[in-house]
Amino acid sequence: MTAGSTITQSATTSLGRAARELELRRGEFDLAVHLGCVRTLPDEGGGGRRVARAEIDRLRSEAGFPETLHERVKAVGTTEGAALMGMTTTRFTRLARLGLVVPVKFYLNRYRAIVWLYLAEELRQFAADEKHAPLMKGRTPEGLRGQLEEGVDLRPRNWRGRHLGFQLRQSEDPWARAAVVASLLDPAAVAEVARDPHERAYLNRLRPDRASGAAPDSPSALIAERIMTADDPDEIGWLRADLRQTLSEAREDRPAPRPSVSSVPPMLATPGNRPPAPARTTDATDAPDVARSRRLLGWLRRRNADADLPTAP
């Protein structure tokens, strides 16, 4: 470790320790990072991200710490959110489906039902805004009612948009940024934009961790995968356009890594990357064996030819 990296390490702390010093549970801390309430730095040693000691000191010195920080990252479900806004859970759900309040997190409960969480601070701000008064009481405006009757539910799409912003703010490498965008598209849509298989493999390697935490291929993981994958044509269109742009920037920075010729399996080798076949050599001591092999091969061919002749009745 160099002297410079030693100084950097001593001036920063791990994410886990920062969460403890800021008196936040790990889920609260992760949300604080996503929201920009806690600023992180890349670890020069390649060990992920860290938090500067100065950042921890800044937050701890704020008036009302830790309560004020807790309030900034407090996430609530439908029941508590409706109570905060002074409305029924039914009306709150309608507002969420219409995209008027945007979820910040989700999880699957024991019955594999999706539970959306919202920032309490944002809900209070929404309720306090006078222009939202017609939505808080009385009949839902006709245009919005029509959307609800058609089955609109913008919660997954709005969460994906918010999650994309979170991830991009934490990604400084051009290829990592492209991988963030690609992570919200299905493989077929990614392949239409990134036609080079080496680029697709690199994007998959840099793909951020999924938010579900469920075991791969489990029912919960499949449900979470559906939420995390764009399905609206408009959303898919702008994500593909964004992927083209971020891929172009990544290619300008550096090409995607490609395996060396020696590491390509023989069955996958193409004329362009197949290693040359080793030259055949004949040692003088092998000559008698070669001659015997040729005589035996000739005898076998003649015998097989004779066996194929028709026999007399």
Side-chain angles (χ1 to χ4, degrees), residues 30 33-35 49 159-173 176-181 183-184 206-211 228:
D30 291 341
V33 170
H34 286 163
L35 295 172
R49 301 187 72 83
W159 175 85
R160 287 190 293 267
R162 191 164 207 168
H163 183 68
L164 177 63
F166 289 164
Q167 295 289 341
L168 288 177
R169 281 196 293 273
Q170 294 295 310
S171 304
E172 299 172 358
D173 175 74
R177 293 176 65 83
V180 168
V181 180
S183 70
L184 298 181
L206 297 175
R207 180 182 180 136
D209 293 336
R210 288 300 202 177
M228 298 178 204

Side-chain angles (χ1 to χ4, degrees), residues 1 4-13 43-47 50 53:
M1 183 180 292
S5 60
T6 302
I7 294 173
T8 301
Q9 288 283 335
S10 64
T12 62
T13 186
D43 184 357
E44 293 184 0
R50 296 176 68 82
R53 296 295 324 174

Side-chain angles (χ1 to χ4, degrees), residues 125-171:
Q125 291 174 357
F126 183 96
D129 193 333
E130 292 185 0
K131 71 180 181 182
H132 297 147
L135 299 170
M136 304 289 292
K137 297 178 181 179
R139 287 177 59 83
T140 304
E142 184 176 350
L144 298 180
R145 278 205 315 274
Q147 294 181 47
L148 291 171
E149 290 169 0
E150 292 172 2
V152 68
D153 188 352
L154 297 178
R155 288 174 294 184
R157 176 172 177 171
N158 284 340
W159 175 85
R160 287 190 293 267
R162 191 164 207 168
H163 183 68
L164 177 63
F166 289 164
Q167 295 289 341
L168 288 177
R169 281 196 293 273
Q170 294 295 310
S171 304

Side-chain angles (χ1 to χ4, degrees), residues 103-146:
V104 72
K105 292 174 64 175
F106 77 90
Y107 68 91
L108 302 180
N109 65 15
R110 58 190 294 186
Y111 306 107
R112 300 197 188 107
I114 304 167
V115 179
W116 297 103
L117 299 177
Y118 307 82
L119 280 178
E121 187 175 40
E122 288 184 353
L123 299 183
R124 283 191 288 265
Q125 291 174 357
F126 183 96
D129 193 333
E130 292 185 0
K131 71 180 181 182
H132 297 147
L135 299 170
M136 304 289 292
K137 297 178 181 179
R139 287 177 59 83
T140 304
E142 184 176 350
L144 298 180
R145 278 205 315 274

Side-chain angles (χ1 to χ4, degrees), residues 7-310:
I7 294 173
T8 301
Q9 288 283 335
S10 64
T12 62
T13 186
S14 68
L15 300 183
R17 181 168 181 177
R20 291 192 298 272
E21 293 195 29
L22 293 174
E23 301 182 33
L24 295 172
R25 293 191 295 270
R26 188 53 191 262
E28 293 175 326
F29 177 82
D30 291 341
L31 186 54
V33 170
H34 286 163
L35 295 172
C37 300
V38 178
R39 297 188 292 263
T40 63
L41 301 169
D43 184 357
E44 293 184 0
R49 301 187 72 83
R50 296 176 68 82
V51 180
R53 296 295 324 174
E55 176 71 356
I56 295 174
D57 295 340
R58 179 184 71 82
L59 291 166
R60 289 180 62 88
S61 65
E62 288 182 347
F65 175 86
E67 287 77 15
T68 51
L69 183 56
H70 285 163
E71 283 300 309
R72 262 183 270 169
V73 298
K74 183 179 180 180
V76 298
T78 298
T79 301
E80 190 174 353
L84 278 175
M85 299 178 71
M87 62 178 61
T88 65
T89 57
T90 300
R91 181 179 291 271
F92 181 90
T93 301
R94 288 174 183 167
L95 294 180
R97 287 178 56 193
L98 290 166
L100 298 173
V101 292
V102 180
V104 72
K105 292 174 64 175
F106 77 90
Y107 68 91
L108 302 180
N109 65 15
R110 58 190 294 186
Y111 306 107
R112 300 197 188 107
I114 304 167
V115 179
W116 297 103
L117 299 177
Y118 307 82
L119 280 178
E121 187 175 40
E122 288 184 353
L123 299 183
R124 283 191 288 265
Q125 291 174 357
F126 183 96
D129 193 333
E130 292 185 0
K131 71 180 181 182
H132 297 147
L135 299 170
M136 304 289 292
K137 297 178 181 179
R139 287 177 59 83
T140 304
E142 184 176 350
L144 298 180
R145 278 205 315 274
Q147 294 181 47
L148 291 171
E149 290 169 0
E150 292 172 2
V152 68
D153 188 352
L154 297 178
R155 288 174 294 184
R157 176 172 177 171
N158 284 340
W159 175 85
R160 287 190 293 267
R162 191 164 207 168
H163 183 68
L164 177 63
F166 289 164
Q167 295 289 341
L168 288 177
R169 281 196 293 273
Q170 294 295 310
S171 304
E172 299 172 358
D173 175 74
W175 279 100
R177 293 176 65 83
V180 168
V181 180
S183 70
L184 298 181
L185 289 165
D186 65 39
V190 174
E192 290 175 359
V193 178
R195 298 184 179 275
D196 187 331
H198 299 294
E199 289 185 347
R200 293 198 300 274
Y202 195 37
L203 291 174
N204 193 55
R205 191 193 316 169
L206 297 175
R207 180 182 180 136
D209 293 336
R210 288 300 202 177
S212 68
D217 298 325
S218 66
S220 295
L222 295 177
I223 295 172
E225 185 80 14
R226 189 174 69 246
I227 295 172
M228 298 178 204
T229 304
D231 57 1
D232 180 83
D234 289 340
E235 181 187 9
I236 293 171
W238 67 256
L239 281 173
R240 288 177 54 171
D242 203 6
L243 180 57
R244 288 192 188 94
Q245 177 62 33
T246 53
L247 264 180
S248 176
E249 295 169 358
R251 289 165 181 151
E252 290 179 3
D253 183 72
R254 66 183 186 279
R258 296 173 180 271
S260 61
V261 171
S262 60
S263 67
V264 178
M267 68 288 295
L268 298 181
T270 62
N273 64 12
R274 184 182 294 121
R280 293 188 60 182
T281 59
T282 302
D283 190 274
T285 58
D286 294 335
D289 292 334
V290 172
R292 271 197 305 273
S293 297
R294 288 175 177 171
R295 286 197 301 272
L296 178 59
L297 183 59
W299 177 78
L300 288 172
R301 286 174 176 167
R302 288 194 301 274
R303 190 185 72 169
N304 291 339
D306 292 342
D308 291 337
L309 293 175

